[in-house]
Amino acid sequence: MCPRNVERDLRVRDERIQLILDSAITIISTKGFGSTSISDIAKAAGISIGTMYHYFRSKDEVFAEVLKRGQLDYGKRVSELAEERETPALVKLHDFAASWLANPINWAYTIMLQSARTTDTVPLEIRQAVTDRFTANLQPLARIMEDGQREGTIVQGDPLKLAFYFVSLIQGLTLQRAPGFEIPVSIEVGGLIRLFQA
């Protein structure tokens, strides 16, 4: 097989996996983890069940991969933001909140995260991994809070708790954006940030 075909095959594989994962986010968040079958995910992705099993062995594996990728991407994004030295902490928080709230799929992802941690039918190892990644992802936000406290722009208090409150607030607001059932109140990111401003 020539290298071009290998590259094309890898690209097609990656695209198909992403299609499955994107479809899983929507179907699992609307039907619930326990009520979703692997055939539901295959149908939502527009592929056969056989093709589905070519990429994933089970619904649990799809669910775990969606959460893992999402949390790792989120962690990378917030870590990069925390490392920026030229940007003031309040601007970082504003940019982070604005980008999170602007993403139209984050309501579904937030539901999946919560479901992963609270649903008995989710395997324990998935529940623990999600909780561990969530906790680890608070660290870069806590550094931003700490930087802002040194700048005199962010309220005093335990930076980790402030990071936890900040993320929880953003996720709660995200849930209000579920399609078709949106709360008719605009979300002003500046107002949200002022809650943490010194």
Side-chain angles (χ1 to χ4, degrees), residues 39-60:
S39 60
D40 291 329
I41 298 169
K43 184 177 177 182
I47 61 173
S48 71
I49 193 73
T51 300
M52 181 75 178
Y53 279 116
H54 179 72
Y55 297 103
F56 294 98
R57 292 176 303 212
S58 67
K59 172 182 71 169
D60 291 354

Side-chain angles (χ1 to χ4, degrees), residues 33 60-61 63 116 119-129:
F33 178 77
D60 291 354
E61 193 175 279
F63 190 57
T119 304
D120 288 342
T121 56
V122 173
L124 185 58
E125 62 272 10
I126 294 175
R127 295 169 80 182
Q128 189 62 58

Side-chain angles (χ1 to χ4, degrees), residues 52-120:
M52 181 75 178
Y53 279 116
H54 179 72
Y55 297 103
F56 294 98
R57 292 176 303 212
S58 67
K59 172 182 71 169
D60 291 354
E61 193 175 279
V62 174
F63 190 57
E65 187 64 19
V66 166
L67 294 167
K68 178 181 172 187
R69 284 187 184 202
Q71 287 184 296
L72 291 177
D73 287 348
Y74 169 95
K76 181 180 177 200
R77 214 170 41 237
V78 75
S79 291
E80 289 169 354
L81 197 57
E83 294 303 316
E84 289 179 16
R85 289 289 141 220
E86 303 301 315
T87 308
L90 284 176
V91 173
K92 291 178 186 182
L93 292 180
H94 185 282
D95 292 351
F96 178 78
S99 67
W100 178 267
L101 292 167
N103 188 327
I105 199 66
N106 277 347
W107 68 270
Y109 188 72
T110 300
I111 288 172
M112 286 184 68
L113 281 172
Q114 190 58 30
S115 177
R117 294 176 55 219
T118 59
T119 304
D120 288 342

Side-chain angles (χ1 to χ4, degrees), residues 10-194:
L10 288 173
R11 188 182 72 250
V12 168
R13 175 182 170 72
D14 290 345
E15 289 170 357
R16 182 130 331 135
I17 288 171
Q18 193 60 53
L19 172 67
I20 292 167
L21 297 176
D22 290 345
S23 300
I25 290 171
T26 305
I27 196 75
I28 292 172
S29 64
T30 53
K31 285 187 80 169
F33 178 77
S35 299
T36 301
S37 67
I38 197 155
S39 60
D40 291 329
I41 298 169
K43 184 177 177 182
I47 61 173
S48 71
I49 193 73
T51 300
M52 181 75 178
Y53 279 116
H54 179 72
Y55 297 103
F56 294 98
R57 292 176 303 212
S58 67
K59 172 182 71 169
D60 291 354
E61 193 175 279
V62 174
F63 190 57
E65 187 64 19
V66 166
L67 294 167
K68 178 181 172 187
R69 284 187 184 202
Q71 287 184 296
L72 291 177
D73 287 348
Y74 169 95
K76 181 180 177 200
R77 214 170 41 237
V78 75
S79 291
E80 289 169 354
L81 197 57
E83 294 303 316
E84 289 179 16
R85 289 289 141 220
E86 303 301 315
T87 308
L90 284 176
V91 173
K92 291 178 186 182
L93 292 180
H94 185 282
D95 292 351
F96 178 78
S99 67
W100 178 267
L101 292 167
N103 188 327
I105 199 66
N106 277 347
W107 68 270
Y109 188 72
T110 300
I111 288 172
M112 286 184 68
L113 281 172
Q114 190 58 30
S115 177
R117 294 176 55 219
T118 59
T119 304
D120 288 342
T121 56
V122 173
L124 185 58
E125 62 272 10
I126 294 175
R127 295 169 80 182
Q128 189 62 58
V130 166
T131 302
D132 292 346
R133 285 190 300 262
F134 181 93
T135 304
N137 284 342
L138 288 175
Q139 296 302 323
L141 266 176
R143 286 198 309 272
I144 294 171
M145 295 294 185
E146 208 168 3
D147 289 345
Q149 289 171 337
R150 276 194 295 276
E151 294 166 7
T153 58
I154 292 182
V155 295
Q156 291 301 309
D158 180 342
L160 187 62
K161 284 184 181 179
L162 291 174
F164 179 60
Y165 299 156
F166 183 75
V167 169
S168 298
L169 180 57
I170 291 171
Q171 287 183 338
L173 291 169
T174 301
L175 292 175
Q176 305 310 319
R177 293 197 154 168
F181 301 98
E182 296 170 32
I183 305 301
V185 176
S186 65
I187 298 172
E188 181 195 333
V189 176
L192 187 154
I193 300 306
R194 280 193 294 277

